[in-house]
Amino acid sequence: MIDYIQITNNWNADPVSPEIELSMDEENLIMDIYLNHYAFENFKEGDKVKISFKNCQEYSLNTCNDEGYYYGQYRTNPKELPWGQFYEIKSGLDRNMPSPIVKINDSNSDKKHFIFFFKDETFECLASEYELEFYNENEK
């Protein structure tokens, strides 16, 4: 049984093309994605979220898509962890991420386990914390 906290409660990634951009800022992994402005009235086209994963130890951005997930091709199943959301995993899922894995540091301090399911890929990482910054790319 996987114990988790769902982070995407009043927002989520664009369901078709989130256009994931990853970059590093010292020990922090930065993810920029487009938001789902179709399902959430508080967002409009061009709205994005910048997710900063603080003191990121490692991450995986792999090719497991929604179809593969429902066919049981990932290490969790839809009954334990629903597809299409961003979660913090509290317990019940090992931290051995699928390939490819990008190691950033070997810090042994307590890291939290995050997972985000997108239409065409799945993201997992180990980091101290996350921060969200919502913005519109046309208004920067």
Side-chain angles (χ1 to χ4, degrees):
M1 182 78 178
I2 298 175
D3 182 22
Y4 60 85
I5 297 169
Q6 183 176 322
I7 298 167
T8 45
N9 289 316
N10 57 354
W11 66 278
N12 205 342
D14 186 294
V16 177
S17 108
E19 297 184 30
I20 303 163
E21 289 180 33
L22 296 176
S23 61
M24 290 297 302
D25 176 10
E26 297 174 18
E27 299 282 306
N28 303 324
L29 176 66
I30 311 298
M31 174 187 283
D32 268 295
I33 56 173
Y34 283 100
L35 293 167
N36 184 346
H37 64 278
Y38 305 104
F40 299 95
E41 292 177 8
N42 50 326
F43 297 112
K44 60 185 183 291
E45 193 168 352
D47 282 353
K48 297 181 94 171
V49 63
K50 178 168 109 174
I51 308 170
S52 300
F53 294 98
K54 304 293 185 182
N55 301 309
C56 186
Q57 178 180 327
E58 64 185 35
Y59 71 90
S60 168
L61 182 62
N62 59 75
T63 57
C64 184
N65 62 15
D66 54 348
E67 203 171 286
Y69 190 74
Y70 286 112
Y71 281 120
Q73 297 171 355
Y74 205 63
R75 59 202 201 99
T76 62
N77 73 57
K79 290 183 179 81
E80 288 184 304
L81 197 61
W83 177 264
Q85 303 292 330
F86 177 31
Y87 303 102
E88 178 185 337
I89 305 299
K90 301 303 269 179
S91 64
L93 181 62
D94 71 59
R95 294 168 170 248
N96 298 321
M97 296 184 195
S99 294
I101 297 170
V102 177
K103 285 213 179 272
I104 297 169
N105 65 52
D106 290 325
S107 169
N108 288 332
S109 64
D110 274 350
K111 301 292 186 201
K112 296 178 181 180
H113 186 179
F114 299 100
I115 187 166
F116 204 150
F117 295 110
F118 298 99
K119 181 183 184 304
D120 293 321
E121 52 255 306
T122 299
F123 172 84
E124 284 192 59
C125 82
L126 299 177
S128 298
E129 196 53 71
Y130 74 94
E131 284 181 7
L132 303 175
E133 179 187 330
F134 296 95
Y135 68 96
N136 186 287
E137 67 178 351
N138 302 318
E139 297 170 6
K140 271 197 140 180

